[in-house]
Amino acid sequence: MDIKRGTSLAAVAVVVALAATACGGNDKADATKPAGAASVQAPAADNYGSEKPAQQAGDAKPAGQLAIAATDQLGSVLTDSAGFTLYRFDKDTAKPPTSNCDGDCAKAWPVVAAGEVTAAAGMDPALLGEVVRKDGSKQLTVAGWPAYRFAKDTKAGDLNGQGVGGTWFAFAPDGKKAAKAAPAPAGAGQTSGALTVAKDPKLGDHIVDGNGMTVYRFKPDTAWPMVSKCEGDCVAKWPVVPPVDKANAKGIIEKNYLVLDRPDGKKQQTVNCWPVYTFTGDKKAGDTNGQGVGGTWYAVAPDGTLITK
């Protein structure tokens, strides 16, 4: 199976105009539009969704360029290149990867073939794999779980398979069941109005907020124009650092120390024009659990550069 260990551009761009004296550089990036939100269908009486599927399963098709779609009901869900939701089955197993959906089940839930596939932006490419089915064909897996589409999803963004039979669920980008992100824990993403520099044995000098929580940058962002490509569910997981007075920025360079006015109404601190964030996965001061996530999130040096070691 030819899995490209790369990531695509982030799903949504947030572009904000700034004063002329602001930031230098020429970083630019295109934005792609994610699949829209869709309503969730109540679980059906069986595991297949209907006795007569809306369409018969043909030859399994690969997923192509995966994407992460933001939905109102479930937060971020994983889709194929056409925007169709990908699902997992509770009666399968991930360790070892095993598919238990055959026959009529596979007609209602067409398997996603293991073939040309590229990880979505913000997704760990190592999560992608394959399993050999009973008929000898190969099926895509995400975090070990075999991947399927639902025959009654007739357009991009549909979520009609969610919860069917109490065993079928949309994939989250990490391979788990998609669900709304929980509120950020106390301290995560909530600064005390200060930025300082901390030392870490692996990262060296890096920026932390007033609570000692590690500060991160998102690689798809740009400094000129000043652009954040993290919004919606992304911001729920990677809260923006609110504005910090220069007097409370100890050890941080002052060049282009500006505030980004985001279209969602939030004001975000930048360091050398780069938008900065914290991570809800960091539970206590000194945690660096966001370092290297998806190959796109990294701690920030005092001069605003990425720390990639």
Side-chain angles (χ1 to χ4, degrees), residues 102-136:
D102 300 289
D104 288 339
C105 175
K107 293 178 181 178
W109 300 90
V111 305
V112 180
E116 190 77 8
V117 62
T118 305
M123 177 187 181
D124 184 356
L127 292 174
L128 302 180
E130 63 182 34
V131 61
V132 178
R133 295 172 54 80
K134 295 174 184 176
D135 62 5

Coordinates of all heavy atoms in Angstrom, one line a residue, residues 102-136:
D102 N -18.8 -8.3 6.4 CA -18.8 -8.9 5.1 C -20.2 -9.1 4.6 O -21.2 -8.7 5.3 CB -18.1 -10.3 5.3 CG -16.7 -10.2 5.8 OD1 -15.8 -9.8 5.0 OD2 -16.5 -10.6 6.9
G103 N -20.3 -9.6 3.4 CA -21.6 -9.9 2.9 C -22.6 -8.7 2.8 O -22.2 -7.6 2.3
D104 N -23.8 -8.8 3.4 CA -24.7 -7.7 3.4 C -24.2 -6.5 4.1 O -24.5 -5.4 3.8 CB -26.1 -8.2 4.0 CG -26.8 -9.1 3.1 OD1 -26.6 -9.1 1.8 OD2 -27.7 -9.9 3.6
C105 N -23.4 -6.8 5.1 CA -22.9 -5.7 5.9 C -22.0 -4.8 5.0 O -22.1 -3.6 5.0 CB -22.0 -6.2 7.1 SG -21.1 -4.9 8.0
A106 N -21.2 -5.4 4.2 CA -20.3 -4.7 3.3 C -21.0 -4.0 2.2 O -20.4 -3.1 1.5 CB -19.2 -5.6 2.7
K107 N -22.2 -4.4 1.9 CA -23.1 -3.7 0.9 C -23.6 -2.4 1.5 O -23.6 -1.4 0.8 CB -24.2 -4.6 0.5 CG -23.8 -5.8 -0.3 CD -25.1 -6.7 -0.7 CE -24.7 -7.9 -1.4 NZ -25.9 -8.8 -1.8
A108 N -24.0 -2.4 2.7 CA -24.4 -1.2 3.4 C -23.3 -0.3 3.8 O -23.4 0.9 3.9 CB -25.3 -1.6 4.6
W109 N -22.1 -1.0 4.1 CA -21.0 -0.2 4.5 C -19.8 -0.6 3.6 O -18.9 -1.4 4.0 CB -20.7 -0.6 6.0 CG -21.8 -0.3 6.9 CD1 -22.8 -1.1 7.3 CD2 -22.0 1.0 7.6 NE1 -23.7 -0.4 8.1 CE2 -23.2 0.8 8.3 CE3 -21.3 2.2 7.6 CZ2 -23.7 1.9 9.1 CZ3 -21.8 3.2 8.4 CH2 -23.0 3.1 9.1
P110 N -19.7 0.0 2.4 CA -18.6 -0.3 1.5 C -17.2 0.0 2.2 O -17.0 1.0 2.8 CB -18.8 0.7 0.3 CG -20.3 1.0 0.4 CD -20.6 1.0 1.9
V111 N -16.3 -1.0 2.0 CA -15.0 -0.8 2.6 C -14.2 0.2 1.8 O -14.4 0.4 0.6 CB -14.2 -2.2 2.6 CG1 -15.1 -3.3 3.3 CG2 -13.9 -2.6 1.2
V112 N -13.3 0.8 2.5 CA -12.4 1.8 1.9 C -11.1 1.0 1.5 O -10.4 0.5 2.4 CB -12.0 2.9 2.8 CG1 -11.1 3.9 2.1 CG2 -13.3 3.7 3.2
A113 N -10.8 0.9 0.3 CA -9.7 0.1 -0.2 C -8.4 0.7 0.3 O -8.2 1.9 0.4 CB -9.7 0.0 -1.7
A114 N -7.4 -0.2 0.6 CA -6.1 0.3 0.9 C -5.3 0.6 -0.4 O -5.0 -0.3 -1.2 CB -5.3 -0.8 1.7
G115 N -5.1 1.8 -0.6 CA -4.4 2.2 -1.9 C -3.8 3.6 -1.7 O -3.4 3.9 -0.6
E116 N -3.8 4.4 -2.8 CA -3.3 5.7 -2.7 C -4.0 6.5 -1.7 O -5.2 6.8 -1.8 CB -3.4 6.3 -4.1 CG -2.6 7.6 -4.3 CD -1.1 7.4 -4.4 OE1 -0.7 6.2 -4.6 OE2 -0.4 8.4 -4.4
V117 N -3.4 7.0 -0.7 CA -4.0 7.8 0.4 C -3.0 8.7 1.0 O -1.8 8.4 1.1 CB -4.6 6.8 1.5 CG1 -3.6 6.0 2.2 CG2 -5.4 7.7 2.5
T118 N -3.4 9.9 1.3 CA -2.6 10.9 2.0 C -3.2 11.4 3.2 O -4.4 11.7 3.2 CB -2.3 12.1 1.0 OG1 -1.8 11.6 -0.2 CG2 -1.3 13.1 1.6
A119 N -2.5 11.5 4.3 CA -3.0 12.0 5.6 C -3.5 13.4 5.5 O -2.9 14.2 4.7 CB -2.0 11.8 6.7
A120 N -4.5 13.7 6.2 CA -5.0 15.1 6.3 C -4.1 16.0 7.1 O -3.3 15.5 7.9 CB -6.4 15.1 6.9
A121 N -4.2 17.3 6.9 CA -3.4 18.2 7.7 C -3.8 18.1 9.2 O -5.0 18.0 9.5 CB -3.6 19.6 7.2
G122 N -2.8 18.1 10.0 CA -3.0 18.0 11.5 C -3.2 16.5 11.9 O -3.5 16.3 13.1
M123 N -3.1 15.6 11.0 CA -3.3 14.2 11.3 C -1.9 13.5 11.2 O -1.1 13.7 10.4 CB -4.3 13.5 10.3 CG -4.5 12.1 10.5 SD -5.5 11.4 9.1 CE -5.6 9.7 9.5
D124 N -1.7 12.6 12.2 CA -0.4 11.8 12.2 C -0.5 10.8 11.0 O -1.3 9.8 11.1 CB -0.3 11.1 13.5 CG 1.1 10.4 13.6 OD1 1.8 10.3 12.6 OD2 1.3 9.8 14.7
P125 N 0.4 10.9 10.0 CA 0.4 9.9 8.9 C 0.6 8.5 9.4 O 0.2 7.5 8.7 CB 1.5 10.4 8.0 CG 1.7 11.9 8.4 CD 1.4 11.9 9.8
A126 N 1.3 8.3 10.5 CA 1.6 7.0 11.0 C 0.3 6.2 11.4 O 0.3 5.0 11.6 CB 2.5 7.0 12.2
L127 N -0.8 6.9 11.5 CA -2.1 6.3 11.9 C -2.6 5.4 10.7 O -3.5 4.6 11.0 CB -3.1 7.3 12.3 CG -2.9 8.1 13.6 CD1 -3.9 9.2 13.8 CD2 -2.9 7.1 14.8
L128 N -2.2 5.7 9.5 CA -2.7 5.0 8.4 C -2.1 3.7 8.2 O -0.9 3.5 8.3 CB -2.6 5.9 7.1 CG -3.2 7.3 7.2 CD1 -3.0 8.0 5.9 CD2 -4.7 7.2 7.5
G129 N -2.9 2.7 7.9 CA -2.4 1.3 7.6 C -3.3 0.5 6.8 O -4.2 1.1 6.1
E130 N -3.2 -0.8 6.8 CA -4.1 -1.6 6.0 C -4.3 -3.0 6.7 O -3.5 -3.4 7.6 CB -3.5 -1.9 4.7 CG -2.2 -2.6 4.7 CD -1.6 -2.8 3.3 OE1 -1.8 -1.9 2.4 OE2 -0.9 -3.8 3.0
V131 N -5.4 -3.6 6.4 CA -5.7 -5.0 6.9 C -6.1 -5.8 5.7 O -6.8 -5.4 4.8 CB -6.8 -4.9 8.0 CG1 -8.1 -4.4 7.4 CG2 -7.0 -6.3 8.6
V132 N -5.7 -7.1 5.7 CA -6.1 -8.1 4.7 C -7.4 -8.7 5.1 O -7.5 -9.3 6.2 CB -5.0 -9.1 4.5 CG1 -5.5 -10.2 3.4 CG2 -3.7 -8.5 4.1
R133 N -8.4 -8.5 4.3 CA -9.8 -9.0 4.6 C -9.8 -10.5 4.3 O -8.9 -11.1 3.7 CB -10.8 -8.3 3.8 CG -10.9 -6.8 4.2 CD -11.9 -6.0 3.3 NE -13.2 -6.6 3.2 CZ -14.1 -6.5 4.1 NH1 -13.9 -5.8 5.2 NH2 -15.3 -7.0 3.9
K134 N -11.0 -11.2 4.7 CA -11.1 -12.6 4.5 C -11.1 -13.0 3.0 O -10.7 -14.1 2.7 CB -12.5 -13.0 5.1 CG -12.5 -12.9 6.6 CD -13.9 -13.2 7.2 CE -13.9 -12.9 8.7 NZ -15.3 -13.2 9.2
D135 N -11.5 -12.1 2.1 CA -11.5 -12.4 0.7 C -10.2 -12.1 0.0 O -10.0 -12.2 -1.2 CB -12.6 -11.6 0.0 CG -12.5 -10.1 0.1 OD1 -11.4 -9.6 0.6 OD2 -13.4 -9.4 -0.4
G136 N -9.2 -11.7 0.8 CA -7.8 -11.4 0.3 C -7.6 -10.0 -0.1 O -6.5 -9.6 -0.4

